[in-house]
Amino acid sequence: MYYDPLRLKGDENKIRLVLTMLFWMATEGHTWPFEDQALRIKSILAQMTQEEAMAESFNIYDIINFGPIQIQDANPYMESYETRYKRYIPVIYEFVEAFIDQIPFDIKKYLNLDDANYQGFVQTMISMTMTTYMFKQDVTSVLADQMMESVEYLKPNDVLKQNIDDTVDYLLINPKVSFLVKLREELVSGYYNVLRQMIQRFTPMNKVKVVVVTEQSFLGYFDLMTALNSVLYVDVSQSDADLMDADMVVTTSIIDLTGIVNPEAVMFKWHQNADSDHFGRMLGLLRGLWIQKSSIDD
């Protein structure tokens, strides 16, 4: 996106996809932000035959249900995603289920996913597979690259990539999925990017080392420790012996730690009566340090 003059540059299909998803995210799917365009669409639909209108409606249904951003539906009368996938796209559903079963590690157990996160993962994989088939490219990764700055900092995982390569090749032998063979590279890329990000988020290897140097006799200390221990990519210590390897030192003291602390560590002064903004600043710094430690250049 260029601002002077305002314009977009790049592949038109990718621009249309990114803008559509941005509009959905901005309005949370509750309304279409362009009233004139909505009226024009209604007018166009009114001029179509019933078959044409139904075809257009089905196209919109496809985009909403198989687009790279999942829209969760809380309607208790709506069939579950699993039931709908099995009914309407059974071959895609079975392909993804087989991939999850055949890849050489138990994804749910390895990442310690609860049922909700696991179902979200399965939906993402099915959505990614379907959009790859529909658009003939790995749309999920395109959108992630455009909307999530942290994705570009993820380190490569050669073992994971090889596991995905081997599993996809094995599954593509099945003649039922011959329509996916030409999209082999796109599927491998999409599965790799989804799983690499999941592993990095749920079982991070490059954790931020935090040493807490504070008095333990105030109630705010427990709030601080609870906040730090709840972050998956943080290792917390209270030992002075860990100061030399610390990425961040959280302290309420003005004691000079020169010589016993990592000179590159971030020093964060903690307030005993810390408010939400103070917690937010600390968590923001931690996330920045984690992305830095997880970067390809590290």
Side-chain angles (χ1 to χ4, degrees):
M1 180 179 287
Y2 297 89
Y3 294 95
D4 188 20
L6 185 63
R7 67 194 189 279
L8 296 169
K9 184 177 180 180
D11 179 75
E12 182 178 350
N13 288 331
K14 295 178 181 178
I15 290 173
R16 287 177 179 272
L17 285 168
V18 170
L19 285 178
T20 300
M21 293 305 141
L22 285 174
F23 289 144
W24 271 101
M25 293 170 67
T27 62
E28 296 185 343
H30 292 296
T31 184
W32 180 250
F34 308 110
E35 185 61 28
D36 291 343
Q37 184 68 9
L39 291 173
R40 180 169 176 268
I41 291 172
K42 291 177 182 177
S43 175
I44 292 172
L45 287 173
Q47 298 174 36
M48 291 182 178
T49 66
Q50 183 177 2
E51 290 77 11
E52 290 171 337
M54 289 185 69
E56 288 303 313
S57 297
F58 182 75
N59 289 337
I60 295 173
Y61 173 86
D62 263 352
I63 291 173
I64 292 174
N65 284 275
F66 303 124
I69 293 179
Q70 284 287 343
I71 300 172
Q72 299 292 338
D73 197 321
N75 186 340
Y77 303 104
M78 181 73 73
E79 290 181 324
S80 68
Y81 276 105
E82 183 179 13
T83 301
R84 288 151 63 186
Y85 289 145
K86 285 181 178 178
R87 179 176 179 181
Y88 294 109
I89 49 171
V91 179
I92 294 289
Y93 175 82
E94 291 168 5
F95 184 83
V96 172
E97 285 284 288
F99 174 84
I100 295 172
D101 289 340
Q102 293 292 332
I103 199 161
F105 60 94
D106 187 328
I107 293 171
K108 186 175 183 180
K109 184 177 180 180
Y110 177 70
L111 299 180
N112 195 27
L113 300 177
D114 59 26
D115 288 340
N117 281 325
Y118 179 73
Q119 288 303 317
F121 162 70
V122 174
Q123 290 173 25
T124 298
M125 294 290 281
I126 292 173
S127 172
M128 195 287 299
T129 307
M130 191 64 194
T131 49
T132 300
Y133 172 61
M134 290 174 63
F135 298 107
K136 311 307 178 191
Q137 60 179 309
D138 175 17
V139 177
T140 303
S141 298
V142 170
L143 287 172
D145 289 342
Q146 296 294 322
M147 297 180 181
M148 297 177 62
E149 181 181 358
S150 62
V151 170
E152 66 179 283
Y153 296 108
L154 292 176
K155 284 185 175 180
N157 187 328
D158 294 334
V159 174
L160 175 66
K161 178 66 164 52
Q162 188 61 56
N163 284 336
I164 292 173
D165 273 328
D166 294 342
T167 305
V168 169
D169 284 340
Y170 173 75
L171 294 175
L172 288 177
I173 296 173
N174 185 348
K176 288 177 63 177
V177 294
S178 58
F179 62 94
L180 293 175
V181 171
K182 291 183 178 180
L183 298 170
R184 186 257 185 202
E185 295 301 322
E186 288 77 7
L187 289 173
V188 169
S189 169
Y191 290 175
Y192 172 67
N193 286 331
V194 170
L195 278 167
R196 182 175 58 147
Q197 181 169 283
M198 291 281 290
I199 291 171
Q200 182 71 359
R201 300 301 188 262
F202 286 91
T203 58
M205 293 180 288
N206 307 98
K207 293 189 177 184
V208 178
K209 298 177 181 178
V210 178
V211 178
V212 178
V213 185
T214 69
E215 300 85 354
Q216 301 180 18
S217 58
F218 64 97
L219 289 176
Y221 166 80
F222 297 105
D223 287 341
L224 169 62
M225 295 303 293
T226 299
L228 289 172
N229 283 312
S230 68
V231 183
L232 292 176
Y233 51 79
V234 169
D235 272 337
V236 187
S237 171
Q238 299 164 310
S239 172
D240 290 349
D242 294 323
L243 285 170
M244 190 52 71
D245 294 324
D247 299 303
M248 175 187 281
V249 177
V250 180
T251 179
T252 56
S253 173
I254 58 173
I255 298 174
D256 184 7
L257 298 174
T258 304
I260 63 171
V261 68
N262 176 12
E264 297 183 359
V266 174
M267 305 299 294
F268 190 79
K269 181 66 179 297
W270 189 251
H271 300 161
Q272 292 190 11
N273 61 340
D275 56 16
S276 296
D277 288 343
H278 198 58
F279 274 95
R281 284 192 291 273
M282 180 185 69
L283 293 173
L285 282 171
L286 287 172
R287 187 175 186 278
L289 288 169
W290 173 56
I291 290 175
Q292 181 180 328
K293 291 195 71 171
S294 302
S295 69
I296 295 173
D297 296 330
D298 184 15

